[in-house]
Amino acid sequence: NIDEYDIIQSKLHLVDLAGSERVEKTGSIGIVQKEASYINRSLSYLEQVVLALLQSKRDHIPYRQSKLTLLLKDSLSGSCNTYLLACIWPHSNYE
């Protein structure tokens, strides 16, 4: 009998944000430069969503600006547990 059991639903998103790409320092051209531009834009949209969520009186959260923020909507809002694992390594080019 299914009425005797609690049903728990969960969702797991694993997202590799690939880091901010500095086109002028890496000298990227062509497809690599275009991909770096998309990465930077997605990170910027994610930042905008997080900042909007921090404003308690805000009536609109811009989740639909990118596929990334739309995909992470459930993880960023509501009653969920969200964890961020950041692997940061200093590079001699950015010192």
Side-chain angles (χ1 to χ4, degrees), residues 20-88:
S20 177
E21 301 294 330
R22 298 177 191 264
V23 175
E24 61 275 353
K25 290 203 176 206
T26 60
S28 301
I29 57 171
I31 294 173
V32 175
Q33 182 180 14
K34 192 172 187 178
E35 185 177 300
S37 173
Y38 288 140
I39 290 169
N40 289 338
R41 194 173 311 144
S42 290
L43 290 174
S44 177
Y45 291 147
L46 180 60
E47 177 187 16
Q48 289 174 19
V49 167
V50 170
L51 291 175
L53 288 168
L54 292 173
Q55 298 172 358
S56 59
K57 296 182 181 182
R58 180 120 183 204
D59 59 341
H60 173 71
I61 309 297
Y63 292 114
R64 294 173 57 187
Q65 286 185 323
S66 76
K67 290 179 184 179
L68 175 66
T69 54
L70 192 57
L71 174 75
L72 294 177
K73 180 179 179 180
D74 293 342
S75 297
L76 296 171
S77 64
S79 58
C80 64
N81 292 324
T82 301
Y83 298 95
L84 172 68
L85 173 65
C87 298
I88 302 169

